[in-house]
Amino acid sequence: MSIPKDFLWGSDIAASQCEGAWNLDGKSPIISDYGTVGSKAQMRMKTFIDSEGKEGIYPFFASLPYGAHYALHDNCHYINHEAVDFYHHYKEDIALFGEMGLKTLNLTISWARIFPKGYKNGVNQKGIEFYRSVLEECQKYQIEPLVTLQKYDTPVYLEEKIGGWLSREMVEEFYQFAKVCLEEYKDLVKYWATFNEINSLAIPSFLPYNLPKEVSQMNLTQLHHQLVASAKVVKLAHEINPSNRIGCMFSSLAYYPLTCDPKDILKSQETFRDMCYYTTDVQVRGKYPYYAKSVWNKLGVQLDITKQDEQDLLDGKVDYIAFSYYMSNCITTHQVDEEMAKGNLSIGNRNPYLEYSEWDWAMDPDGLKYILHELYGRYEKPLLIIENGLGAEDVLTENHQIHDEYRIEYLRKHITSMKEAIDEGVNVIGYTTWSALDLVSVSSGQISKRYGFIYVDIDDEGHGTFNRYRKDSFNWYKKVIQTNGEDLNS
């Protein structure tokens, strides 16, 4: 077997991480607009004012204190306000994507740019026009758009007005947002995904931090509302255009037992089930899995699942399964003195057989092959790899070159593992890298943690020319696409 000729070789961007123009042309703020810049050693934070009007700062992924509201502080730099200014450079950037030969571009549409203050307050026509122009530019270069509807850009207005995803009202808000996108761009987009890394709401409840059951109750309630919203939108997408292909997308990590102790093996199996299958089982099979009640009992959670919810989930089964993959984790039931792994969403111990990136993420291409077989063996649905890449501190030389062989090596090994899985019968329809150009990292708020094939001359403090430069990996990936993955040499 070989990679099919219509394989979707591509890359990724996200509105909340690349666009900038945070308050231009009718867009309302999102949470990232109140996020500071972190580092390898310092967590990213977000700013607010409390119920008494005092300024405060809080971990980026934590809920604000009761009664607080998002607010800007004069002494803070907000990197997302400009990001890498894709909003004003999109024609230049998409031309570069076309030069690289991308077959697809996974991009997002900012909810806050379409419905700045909820659907009842009307559509922002300038937002509609902007994304139409973006999608038309993609078509101009024969790039198939793959649109993810929601990725970290819920309008703060909805967070503060109705309580965000804790409220059932958000199901209708998202449905109306998706309906506008599906109808406006039905002639420009065939491939859709509902929520980016939807399982990220569940993951904190399974990290070894002993979260209060009230937090797990909040997280899984929000997740339930998103699962229902996703299902309703999947059904709608098929009604609007039967040729639409719409999928789920989750964050995957390979979970290995640290030892051959059967208890470690059972624990790693349970971890993968809770972290990943809990959401994909619902979105692929149309109902909560058999073990869901044991998960709820373990966490002390009670969900309000109506008969209508059950019908919506059943009616909204996805066409394909998309997932991100960056690294793996080791799970153990034993007390281990070694330092824990520090990568994003890591919950386990360091793997002595793997190398680690600058940000301490385990680099494990074999884990991608493992995940592909696990998913296809369980569901036998087409698989789409969305987001696979390496964050690193790239160096711009005096003659504007970036020699990123380390990124090429990372991607080469992962593509090789993907090809092996395809040769062994796994149906993979596409592979998109994180990311097409440098942008703001969600987890750290840095631009200096660079992932792109295109270097953007801007630093973490917002200083730079915003000029774009091709990295060595740009030309390498161009050759990979031209040869349909046959030539992976530098």
Side-chain angles (χ1 to χ4, degrees), residues 114-124 157-158 161 173:
I114 302 299
F115 281 124
K117 294 188 176 181
Y119 75 93
K120 293 178 183 178
N121 288 310
V123 172
N124 176 27
Y157 174 87
L158 294 177
K161 186 75 173 179
E173 290 284 353

Side-chain angles (χ1 to χ4, degrees), residues 243-485:
S243 67
N244 276 334
R245 302 189 71 185
I246 183 163
C248 59
M249 193 278 196
F250 75 99
S251 171
S252 79
L253 290 84
Y255 297 100
Y256 306 139
L258 185 64
T259 75
C260 53
D261 182 344
K263 293 188 183 304
D264 278 9
I265 295 171
L266 286 171
K267 185 64 177 177
S268 64
Q269 181 187 54
E270 176 189 34
T271 300
F272 196 94
R273 183 195 72 188
D274 293 347
M275 295 278 202
C276 300
Y277 288 151
Y278 179 84
T279 55
T280 49
D281 278 354
V282 177
Q283 295 184 287
V284 175
R285 295 173 173 169
K287 62 181 180 179
Y288 278 101
Y290 71 92
Y291 54 83
K293 288 184 179 179
S294 68
V295 171
W296 302 334
N297 290 336
K298 177 174 62 177
L299 298 175
V301 167
Q302 292 184 327
L303 296 181
D304 176 22
I305 303 175
T306 68
K307 291 293 184 182
Q308 186 60 53
D309 290 346
E310 292 175 348
Q311 188 61 52
D312 288 335
L313 293 175
L314 190 61
D315 291 342
K317 292 183 281 189
V318 296
D319 301 316
Y320 65 87
I321 301 164
F323 64 95
S324 60
Y325 178 80
Y326 293 96
M327 62 185 183
S328 59
N329 272 322
C330 286
I331 307 299
T332 185
T333 59
H334 298 272
Q335 195 70 32
V336 179
D337 294 331
E338 294 178 3
E339 184 182 18
M340 298 283 282
K342 297 177 182 177
N344 211 28
L345 301 178
S346 284
I347 63 167
N349 296 86
R350 298 179 70 82
N351 190 327
Y353 297 96
L354 298 177
E355 295 180 357
Y356 285 74
S357 74
E358 295 176 58
W359 274 263
D360 217 26
W361 294 30
M363 295 185 286
D364 180 14
D366 291 324
L368 177 57
K369 181 179 177 180
Y370 170 75
I371 293 292
L372 287 168
H373 275 287
E374 285 293 304
L375 290 174
Y376 197 63
R378 188 178 184 93
Y379 302 115
E380 292 197 3
K381 282 271 190 183
L383 303 180
L384 176 56
I385 302 165
I386 289 180
E387 289 192 34
N388 174 237
L390 177 67
E393 291 182 333
D394 297 332
V395 176
L396 182 67
T397 68
E398 290 184 359
N399 58 347
H400 301 140
Q401 294 183 329
I402 305 94
H403 304 302
D404 57 340
E405 177 61 35
Y406 40 86
R407 181 169 292 107
I408 294 171
E409 184 66 13
Y410 176 95
L411 295 173
R412 178 191 293 120
K413 289 179 178 179
H414 283 78
I415 292 172
T416 298
S417 283
M418 177 189 70
K419 289 174 63 177
E420 291 173 359
I422 292 172
D423 287 342
E424 293 163 7
V426 177
N427 181 11
V428 185
I429 61 174
Y431 171 84
T432 68
T433 70
W434 189 258
S435 53
L437 77 167
D438 294 338
L439 34 67
V440 179
S441 168
V442 169
S443 58
S444 70
Q446 296 173 279
I447 290 178
S448 59
K449 184 184 182 184
R450 298 178 183 272
Y451 283 92
F453 294 118
I454 300 164
Y455 185 98
V456 182
D457 182 26
I458 194 77
D459 64 20
D460 291 341
E461 297 304 314
H463 303 132
T465 64
F466 288 94
N467 289 341
R468 274 64 168 153
Y469 301 107
R470 300 165 187 79
K471 303 179 187 180
D472 288 354
S473 57
F474 178 103
N475 295 311
W476 173 80
Y477 197 49
K478 179 178 181 179
K479 181 174 62 175
V480 171
I481 296 170
Q482 286 174 339
T483 63
N484 200 29

